[in-house]
Amino acid sequence: MISVTIATLDRPRYLERALETLLGGTSVPEEIVIVDQSEDDATRQVVEAAGSPAIRYCHYSPPSLSASRNRSVELATSEYVAVVDDDDEFAPDWLASVEEELQRFSYPDALFGDVRYPWPDADGKAIAVSIIEHERPTVWRFPAHPGFMGYGAHMILRRSTFLDLGGFDSRLGPGSPLLGAEDVDFNYRLLKGGYSAVSTPAIHVVHNQPRDQEALPRYYFGKNKGQAAFCIKHIREGDRYAWRVLLQQMGADGRMFASAVRRRSWLRARIAAQRAAGTVAGLFRGRQTFPR
């Protein structure tokens, strides 16, 4: 019923751990689709060493997270596909819990789970990225902010719905000039299309996010660049609600500046500056990428 799909690029050590936790669970997926964008053979060797007949391997180039995820879903054969990251770790009962939650919510088009921090933050200074935790199950409907539902690190989607929506927009996301927001854009189109979407804390992955804290300013530049461009895409299609999403992003940029001052954090100040710069860059690049 559920295929697990993973797009990966030059992170064999993380993929190895992801496969260990998937294949070591109390329930094991009958199909795991790996789309590898790496230039060397290290990832292929990890897949071969796993030795599981459930794994289907495909090499894809040029590197594009959106395009490789789309390819992984095309190759999958199950009714549902779990789109996850190569640096995720899975609880032993993850697959069984996903199946229970799908049944609990009458088999929605999309089910989003928690993405949790991998280690304790002893001093409260570390900044977690790509983390989302839901306090309670939520049924989402348009208009709702598409970033609150969940991320590409942990999405369970009805395969036919994903294909009907055209998958992820390859003009967005890592590997494209716009660097991010491919999952936010997909969520937005999902809600606008009237499809059913639910988030639940009953399922989770641990996201190992191999980023040094000093690399975060550049990360947030790319993230905001993509999200501002995503807003321009829908504004140019005549969607007024996208203006509200853009204004919320600008407000978050301002709050990061305020947080930097309050905490006297040079790192947060640099992140705030790069967030704002990314938003501006995304507005200009979005106008070029998504003409009227």
Side-chain angles (χ1 to χ4, degrees):
M1 180 180 173
I2 302 171
S3 296
V4 177
T5 66
I6 304 174
T8 185
L9 172 62
D10 294 330
R11 298 202 290 197
R13 182 167 64 90
Y14 288 97
L15 178 65
E16 183 177 28
R17 181 59 182 161
L19 291 176
E20 284 178 358
T21 54
L22 272 175
L23 296 172
T26 54
S27 298
V28 178
E30 293 187 3
E31 182 176 62
I32 302 172
V33 181
I34 307 293
V35 175
D36 179 19
Q37 306 162 82
S38 309
E39 293 186 0
D40 60 27
D41 289 333
T43 300
R44 183 192 293 270
Q45 292 171 6
V46 165
V47 171
E48 291 175 351
S52 172
I55 299 176
R56 299 179 61 193
Y57 174 89
C58 170
H59 190 269
Y60 185 93
S61 62
S64 165
L65 181 59
S66 294
S68 58
R69 281 178 172 165
N70 291 345
R71 182 57 177 155
S72 71
V73 176
E74 291 170 359
L75 291 171
T77 60
S78 302
E79 181 180 0
Y80 280 89
V81 291
V83 177
V84 297
D85 277 356
D86 58 1
D87 54 357
D88 287 346
E89 290 189 22
F90 303 85
D93 64 345
W94 174 80
L95 183 59
S97 297
V98 168
E99 293 172 341
E100 290 173 3
E101 292 300 285
L102 286 172
Q103 183 178 27
R104 175 186 177 191
F105 293 105
S106 301
Y107 299 98
D109 292 290
L111 179 70
F112 300 87
D114 284 2
V115 181
R116 297 181 181 173
Y117 204 51
W119 56 82
D121 179 17
D123 59 9
K125 293 182 179 180
I127 299 174
V129 298
S130 301
I131 298 300
I132 188 166
E133 293 184 301
H134 305 93
E135 292 184 2
R136 62 186 65 85
T138 303
V139 177
W140 299 92
R141 293 183 176 86
F142 187 82
H145 193 294
F148 296 163
M149 300 158 59
Y151 300 127
H154 194 196
M155 311 166 75
I156 295 91
L157 308 169
R158 188 183 297 275
R159 181 174 178 272
S160 60
T161 299
F162 181 90
L163 297 176
D164 287 345
L165 287 169
F168 295 107
D169 189 334
S170 60
R171 295 170 293 183
L172 296 165
S176 78
L178 293 176
L179 302 175
E182 78 292 340
D183 44 7
V184 177
D185 175 71
F186 178 85
N187 292 353
Y188 196 73
R189 290 183 282 120
L190 181 82
L191 292 177
K192 281 189 67 176
Y195 293 98
S196 55
V198 178
S199 61
T200 173
I203 56 173
H204 78 276
V205 296
V206 173
H207 193 207
N208 283 299
Q209 49 181 340
R211 294 186 183 91
D212 185 271
Q213 292 283 293
E214 289 300 313
L216 293 185
R218 190 64 185 170
Y219 164 79
Y220 277 102
F221 174 88
K223 178 180 179 180
N224 271 30
K225 183 180 180 181
Q227 291 193 166
F230 139 73
C231 292
I232 292 298
K233 170 186 174 180
H234 291 276
I235 287 169
R236 292 205 149 188
E237 293 174 353
D239 188 338
R240 294 183 179 180
Y241 184 71
W243 279 109
R244 181 175 175 181
V245 177
L246 179 59
L247 291 173
Q248 288 175 321
Q249 176 171 326
M250 293 178 175
D253 295 347
R255 289 192 295 276
M256 180 58 78
F257 273 113
S259 173
V261 172
R262 186 173 63 254
R263 294 171 178 256
R264 299 181 181 180
S265 170
W266 175 238
L267 175 61
R268 287 177 182 268
R270 290 167 53 211
I271 290 174
Q274 287 296 307
R275 281 181 61 115
T279 297
V280 173
L283 294 177
F284 282 99
R285 191 58 187 257
R287 289 170 60 88
Q288 298 172 348
T289 305
F290 305 109
R292 292 184 185 276

